[in-house]
Amino acid sequence: MDRPDPTVRPVLVLDFGSQYVQLIARRVRERHAFARIVRHDVTVERVRALNPLAIILSGGPSSVYEPNAPRCDPRLFDLGVPVLGICYGMQLACEALGGKVQPSPAREYGRAECQVTDPNEPLFHDVPRATTVWMSHGDQVQDAGPAFLPLAATATCPVAAVKHGTLPVYGLQFHPEVAHTPYGALILGNFLDRICHSPRAWTMGAFIERSVAEVQQRVGETDRVVCGLSGGVDSAVCAALLAKALGPRVVCVFVDNGLLRAGERAAVAEAFGQHSNAELRVVDASERFLKALNGVTDPQEKRVRIGHTFIDVFRDEAKSIPAARFLAQGTLYPDVIESGGDADGPAATIKHHHNVGGLPAELGFELIEPLRDLFKDEVRRLGLELGLPDRLIWRHPFPGPGLAVRCLGAVTADRLEVLRQADTIFLDELRNAGLERQVAQAFAVLLPVQSVGVMGDGRTYENVIALRAVETDDFMTADWSRLPHELLARASTRIINAVKGVNRVVYDVTSKPPGTIEWE
């Protein structure tokens, strides 16, 4: 489970620094081909060993004529493997094979009208002759050279798409992976299906079969796997997949830290009681966590204390599980990429691994990560395939430290209950309006301030609740949700009327960046 499945030929996405590189990989996977992001300077020998179905060269912020511009091994174009260059990737391919790239006299950023000059070309099958595309470039191919044939153009970009006359090399100056290119998914699909002849083998059903076999082989017939449940999607799907492979030899440990959303403990117990034959252990450690947080207001200190307490609680419980040899984590593919956990992947470490962290080493367990090849949307589809209920699969992300990072200031049982009630009302209003799935994440925050209010005939001086809702594809950037005013009004009225100690509700209209999704 520690390496991508060798039985599926990957589409290698070479990363030249594009902000859209993960999106390219996701779009490829949506067409049932397995995309793997690798370094731009991956060696041709390594590429041969990976036996790719195709190679995609991503965009990037550099100019190909700069001395230190990132480049790929030019021998990649001689492997006979279909290549698709996107934006910078197209410029790189054309320059490597005889074309000329120069600064564009009229830079293109945003939507542009593109004219397909050869409608019979398989890359543009069923794409209208005139179509909208998303451009983001300052350089462009001025002369593709005699080896390339132009396929499309815009008013200011005469070479918007090309193909090589003798090699299976294609280029797009625009970005087909973004939603702003309406036929972009079809163009990528044409490349995979009509040019690469993709077997469309990357499905969640096939993934389950392969993963179950691999888990059974690695764990053997007697050892057990410990899986920490958090109430989130990733750990739930991880546990369900392991349970399908190993049944009661999977021990799911759910630690109730007192920092959960309303009904979380009961929902997890019900879901796994009905949909899994794994053993479920619920550990009530709420008093232990609250004691550790007593008097702590600094958000980083909260996280540290919660993390240490979790390790202590988990260690105590793990000691009572006989034959436990493995610890399972719901690590996803973005975690692997961004933590530098893939030897072939991009070199820059964007963030540290954010899951259980030091637990495997501390407890003497071997780590098993059955979801490490999947994106978040694939994990949700996998969960549905495994029979987990919709209400669990489509839950909004929840931070590891729980409500402690949404309870700004001191964390007490009383303040947590105020926050929990307000959060429940807000999510209930989203569900009633049919907007829960349209919003990527929504929650309430209890602020460490009081405000003056009037309730009935009396003056009040009580708590302020902030509501937060964001829309995002990847959680690396996010925009605040333009929720209907009527919905916000209902949520505010219900919270103030029903939650004792709250007399004011505000709505957060900050995007990420400059803000973060969570407040702490």
Side-chain angles (χ1 to χ4, degrees):
M1 301 303 297
D2 294 332
R3 294 190 300 270
D5 183 358
T7 66
V8 177
R9 295 181 66 195
V11 175
L12 299 183
V13 182
L14 273 60
D15 183 10
F16 291 93
S18 172
Q19 62 179 318
Y20 299 131
V21 67
Q22 290 194 30
L23 185 56
I24 294 171
R26 286 177 54 218
R27 293 290 182 256
V28 169
R29 293 187 183 198
E30 287 170 1
R31 304 296 296 200
H32 302 296
F34 175 62
R36 182 178 177 189
I37 298 171
V38 298
R39 299 167 57 99
H40 69 272
D41 56 356
V42 61
T43 66
V44 71
E45 292 78 16
R46 179 57 178 159
V47 171
R48 283 198 189 98
L50 292 171
N51 187 29
L53 175 72
I55 296 170
I56 295 179
L57 311 179
S58 83
S62 301
S63 296
V64 298
Y65 47 79
E66 293 176 352
N68 297 319
R71 298 178 183 278
C72 61
D73 190 325
R75 293 178 294 168
L76 293 179
F77 301 112
D78 298 324
L79 292 176
V81 176
V83 177
L84 176 65
I86 296 175
C87 196
Y88 178 84
M90 168 180 158
Q91 298 164 14
L92 191 69
C94 287
E95 193 227 22
L97 296 171
K100 293 182 180 179
V101 178
Q102 296 178 356
S104 172
R107 298 185 175 191
E108 285 186 305
Y109 294 98
R111 291 180 176 85
E113 289 303 312
C114 183
Q115 296 291 327
V116 176
T117 56
D118 184 358
N120 297 318
E121 165 57 43
L123 189 65
F124 290 102
H125 179 76
D126 279 347
V127 176
R129 292 287 297 269
T131 185
T132 301
V133 298
W134 183 261
M135 291 286 195
S136 180
H137 65 97
D139 300 337
Q140 65 184 30
V141 177
Q142 295 294 331
D143 179 5
F148 281 95
L149 305 173
L151 302 177
T154 71
T156 58
C157 182
V159 187
V162 295
K163 77 170 181 179
H164 197 275
T166 58
L167 300 175
V169 178
Y170 295 77
L172 300 172
Q173 183 58 68
F174 56 88
H175 289 272
E177 70 273 19
V178 301
H180 303 309
T181 300
Y183 287 88
L186 177 59
I187 295 169
L188 278 175
N190 286 337
F191 174 70
L192 295 168
D193 297 336
R194 297 178 178 275
I195 295 169
C196 304
H197 305 293
S198 169
R200 302 178 67 88
W202 182 252
T203 66
M204 288 303 99
F207 179 84
I208 291 172
E209 291 182 12
R210 292 190 297 267
S211 298
V212 165
E214 290 175 11
V215 167
Q216 290 172 339
Q217 181 178 11
R218 182 176 176 192
V219 175
E221 298 182 357
T222 58
D223 290 327
R224 307 188 81 186
V225 177
V226 181
C227 183
L229 284 180
S230 67
V233 177
D234 303 340
S235 66
V237 174
C238 178
L241 180 60
L242 291 170
K244 185 175 181 64
L246 304 173
R249 287 195 289 138
V250 177
V251 183
C252 298
V253 178
F254 181 78
V255 177
D256 184 350
N257 57 14
L259 307 170
L260 305 174
R261 290 172 286 197
E264 192 121 41
R265 177 171 168 174
V268 170
E270 178 187 359
F272 279 85
Q274 293 179 358
H275 300 277
S276 171
N277 57 350
E279 179 183 344
L280 175 63
R281 298 190 179 191
V282 178
V283 181
D284 189 345
S286 54
E287 291 186 8
R288 196 165 170 178
F289 278 87
L290 285 176
K291 183 178 179 180
L293 291 169
N294 184 37
V296 178
T297 58
D298 179 75
Q300 187 58 26
E301 182 64 19
K302 288 179 184 179
R303 293 176 182 273
V304 169
R305 293 200 181 197
I306 290 169
H308 288 164
T309 305
F310 180 82
I311 289 174
D312 291 340
V313 172
F314 205 93
R315 180 195 294 114
D316 293 344
E317 188 63 27
K319 289 178 180 177
S320 67
I321 301 173
R325 179 183 165 195
F326 297 91
L327 176 69
Q329 290 184 175
T331 308
L332 304 189
Y333 190 46
D335 303 325
V336 176
I337 298 169
E338 294 168 4
S339 64
D342 185 350
D344 294 314
T349 298
I350 299 172
K351 65 180 181 181
H352 294 294
H353 194 286
H354 73 276
N355 282 309
V356 180
L359 272 175
E362 285 207 29
L363 300 177
F365 285 151
E366 293 183 34
L367 184 62
I368 188 166
E369 299 173 309
L371 309 182
R372 65 179 281 123
D373 288 340
L374 303 184
F375 286 105
K376 189 78 170 188
D377 55 320
E378 293 174 312
V379 172
R380 293 189 192 278
R381 293 202 300 273
L382 177 62
L384 294 173
E385 190 91 13
L386 289 167
L388 290 176
D390 280 10
R391 64 183 179 279
L392 187 60
I393 293 301
W394 294 105
R395 299 197 81 181
H396 289 177
F398 192 58
L403 294 180
V405 295
R406 296 175 180 174
C407 184
L408 277 58
V411 180
T412 67
D414 289 343
R415 296 192 79 228
L416 287 169
E417 187 55 29
V418 168
L419 174 57
R420 196 173 283 118
Q421 291 181 34
D423 188 70
T424 300
I425 290 172
F426 184 35
L427 294 180
D428 184 53
E429 287 296 337
L430 279 175
R431 277 190 293 271
N432 291 342
L435 296 176
E436 186 179 28
R437 292 194 189 179
Q438 294 183 30
V439 173
Q441 191 170 356
F443 53 90
V445 180
L446 178 59
L447 304 187
V449 296
Q450 285 74 45
S451 73
V452 174
V454 178
M455 300 183 75
D457 295 324
R459 177 182 181 275
T460 62
Y461 189 64
E462 294 180 328
N463 292 303
V464 179
I465 287 287
L467 303 180
R468 176 79 158 141
V470 298
E471 297 174 6
T472 178
D473 288 328
D474 55 16
F475 291 90
M476 299 177 73
T477 62
D479 195 14
W480 61 277
S481 298
R482 274 65 170 175
L483 297 180
H485 293 176
E486 295 79 7
L487 184 155
L488 294 172
R490 288 194 302 271
S492 174
T493 300
R494 282 186 61 189
I495 290 170
I496 291 172
N497 288 341
V499 183
K500 186 177 180 181
V502 175
N503 69 354
R504 190 178 297 270
V505 175
V506 298
Y507 188 55
D508 184 351
V509 293
T510 311
S511 297
K512 176 188 178 182
T516 55
I517 294 177
E518 297 287 344
W519 277 48
E520 286 193 345

